[in-house]
Amino acid sequence: MAHHILEGGFQEWESPLYQEALKQFDHVAELMGLDHNVADRLRVPQRALVVTFPFRHDDYSEVESVFGYRVQHVLTMGPTKGGIRYALDVNLGEVAALAMLMTWKCAIVGLPFGGAKGGVRVDPLHLTRAEKQRVTRRYVTEIIGFIGPSRDIPAPDMGTDEQTMAWIMDTYSQQVGHAEPSVVTGKPPELGGSIARREATGRGVMSLLPLAAARLGLDTDGARVAIHGFGNVGSYAAVAAAEMGCRVVAVSDISGAVYRGDGVDVAAAMEWVRRHRTLEGFGGGDRLSNEDLFAVDCDVLVPAAVGGVITAANAEDIPARVILEGANGPTTTEADAILADRGVLVVPDVLANSGGVTASYFEWVQDLQHYFWSESEIRGRLHEIMARAFREVAAVADEHRVDLRTAALIKGIGRVARAKLVRGVFP
Ligand code: GLU
């Protein structure tokens, strides 16, 4: 058998991303002088559900069993919110770390949610559309009592998309007996989703560039941008960068990177990926390895794929002056310190990629009210919320003389800690 269900499944909490999330949290909790009773509570998720389930391959005789997870980190301020990821390295620790990051992210932009995350340990590139649909419907069935419009609202993440969200909405609705669009966000426009949500994470990331660049006195006009990852986040970050008058000099995905000094044709690259699934064979530039992308001569680097890619091994050689974290957890704590020493401005994931969950929040509110806003209203409010969050975080950074990640976490953790204190301990 090619792949055993328990492969990689041991030491579930030991994931590197969870260790990093805890390191960041402990550092900031200490700096803030956070009451240890509250800190202890926030280091671990409130609820974690682990499921295993089978799905049938298109080859009818093959039934594969896989692990699925849904973790809810903090239930204090409202329902929990966060994406669902399909990837081979998904485990309990990783999902717990991502749920924790969602809590801080929602608190930083001021959304009435705690953080959650879900995932299935499966390789989405090796699933046919029909297999992916069966995985999704069975996964949702396994976690159905755990989610709901006022309980926990999933959304897309790596390896899932609008179609996946439509299947989640359908599966949930079949069970409750009526259409329930508000159970999930990032849906296709036909089901109450918006084009603005599809583009929100990537565009939101780039919308912070002028604010970040201003802190360094950097001119964004003609700035060279390298983007690691060309999925939903990376591709729309590239579109937005080109629209802003930046030059997208490199993009990459699992097949490797494409470099073009005078700018990659972003629309052509997106069209290629739409037809061929990856950048493999795309002729619009020189091919580089994924690792080489980090050393490409550029002004702005946007990690927009997996976590843990900017490490002590490459942080020294990154030429960019600004890093906008589209991905969740792309930078290790060690790398963060090196970058700070070198004067590289890092706009952290919990701030930089918060446009996605903010647009999700709008979608959920509209679904609940059955009243829909125009695309330009959604974009306008999104921009306003993100710019405000950036300014508030920057003010904390200046006041405490800390980097933007520390400042963002001070703001996010502080808000959650205060909410916990006023609710008190039951019973
Ligand atoms: N998965 C996205 C994130 O990591 C979006 C979550 C959401 O829209 O709820 O922020």
Side-chain angles (χ1 to χ4, degrees):
M1 192 193 293
H3 177 75
H4 189 268
I5 183 172
L6 282 175
E7 213 168 276
F10 299 105
Q11 301 171 327
E12 288 266 354
W13 291 100
E14 298 294 315
S15 112
L17 195 60
Y18 195 41
Q19 304 307 321
E20 287 294 337
L22 286 179
K23 263 194 249 170
Q24 285 175 4
F25 175 77
D26 290 341
H27 166 68
V28 175
E30 198 190 313
L31 211 75
M32 293 168 73
L34 189 67
D35 182 333
H36 77 90
N37 295 292
V38 181
D40 284 352
R41 186 72 197 101
L42 291 174
R43 293 182 94 247
V44 283
Q46 183 162 346
R47 295 176 177 168
L49 179 63
V50 181
V51 298
T52 62
F53 60 89
F55 72 96
R56 213 177 265 289
H57 284 201
D58 287 353
D59 167 4
Y60 196 77
S61 61
E62 275 304 311
V63 175
E64 185 177 339
S65 289
V66 290
F67 270 88
Y69 307 86
R70 186 73 187 169
V71 175
Q72 300 167 352
H73 177 239
V74 165
L75 281 74
T76 308
M77 296 92 62
T80 49
K81 185 90 192 77
I84 289 173
R85 170 176 290 204
Y86 291 173
L88 263 185
D89 55 4
V90 161
N91 60 32
L92 186 54
E94 187 188 85
V95 176
L98 293 165
M100 183 187 275
L101 289 178
M102 284 307 302
T103 300
W104 314 143
K105 193 185 301 184
C106 292
I108 289 160
V109 277
L111 308 180
F113 298 129
K117 204 75 165 201
V120 178
R121 183 153 64 246
V122 70
D123 183 355
L125 278 179
H126 282 116
L127 294 178
T128 64
R129 180 185 157 95
E131 287 166 345
K132 195 168 179 182
Q133 176 166 185
R134 289 194 288 274
V135 166
T136 302
R137 290 186 182 280
R138 181 61 189 258
Y139 168 66
V140 172
T141 304
E142 294 297 334
I143 66 164
I144 202 147
F146 216 51
I147 60 172
S150 54
R151 196 180 287 258
D152 179 15
I153 307 121
D157 198 82
M158 279 170 46
T160 60
D161 57 15
E162 288 178 10
Q163 179 59 71
T164 323
M165 300 306 114
W167 291 327
I168 294 176
M169 180 270 186
D170 184 70
T171 306
Y172 188 88
S173 299
Q174 297 296 341
Q175 298 300 317
V176 297
H178 59 261
E180 193 60 273
S182 54
V183 67
V184 66
T185 59
K187 297 181 294 296
E190 295 79 0
L191 295 176
S194 63
I195 307 290
R197 168 65 187 92
R198 182 185 303 165
E199 304 180 354
T201 318
R203 283 189 180 277
V205 167
M206 289 312 300
S207 77
L208 297 183
L209 178 61
L211 299 171
R215 286 176 76 78
L216 297 176
L218 187 83
D219 189 2
T220 58
D221 202 33
R224 295 159 306 162
V225 182
I227 300 177
H228 178 251
F230 205 62
N232 172 269
V233 181
S235 60
Y236 285 109
V239 169
E243 279 175 15
M244 286 165 68
C246 298
R247 224 175 334 139
V248 179
V249 292
V251 295
S252 76
D253 67 10
I254 48 154
S255 72
V258 178
Y259 173 81
R260 188 152 182 249
D262 52 9
V264 174
D265 181 340
V266 175
M270 277 177 83
E271 180 55 22
W272 182 272
V273 171
R274 200 183 60 78
R275 285 168 188 250
H276 304 92
R277 275 186 133 179
T278 71
L279 288 165
E280 181 85 66
F282 176 64
D286 302 331
R287 299 296 298 196
L288 300 176
S289 75
N290 246 311
E291 193 44 48
D292 290 341
L293 179 126
F294 293 100
V296 156
D297 198 17
C298 65
D299 306 296
V300 181
L301 173 66
V302 182
V306 291
V309 291
I310 302 179
T311 66
N314 61 11
E316 210 68 74
D317 305 318
I318 290 177
R321 295 187 60 201
V322 178
I323 297 180
L324 304 170
E325 294 186 340
N328 289 313
T331 310
T332 66
T333 324
E334 275 179 306
D336 237 351
I338 296 170
L339 294 167
D341 266 358
R342 295 184 49 227
V344 179
L345 183 67
V346 179
V347 183
D349 47 8
V350 285
L351 174 63
N353 71 31
S354 63
V357 71
T358 304
S360 274
Y361 165 65
F362 296 159
E363 182 176 331
W364 177 71
V365 166
Q366 293 169 78
D367 286 336
L368 290 176
Q369 300 187 337
H370 310 285
Y371 177 74
F372 290 87
W373 315 347
S374 69
E375 293 285 338
S376 67
E377 242 176 309
I378 299 173
R379 283 183 225 277
R381 291 191 197 193
L382 183 66
H383 185 74
E384 191 186 310
I385 288 184
M386 288 197 69
R388 187 179 63 215
F390 185 93
R391 281 194 298 271
E392 288 172 0
V393 168
V396 175
D398 294 340
E399 186 190 332
H400 296 267
R401 296 178 180 280
V402 291
D403 60 26
L404 291 178
R405 188 185 318 279
T406 307
L409 292 174
I410 288 178
K411 185 167 184 284
I413 294 170
R415 181 162 184 257
V416 177
R418 287 191 299 278
K420 282 217 157 294
L421 286 172
V422 287
R423 275 192 63 164
V425 179
F426 176 84

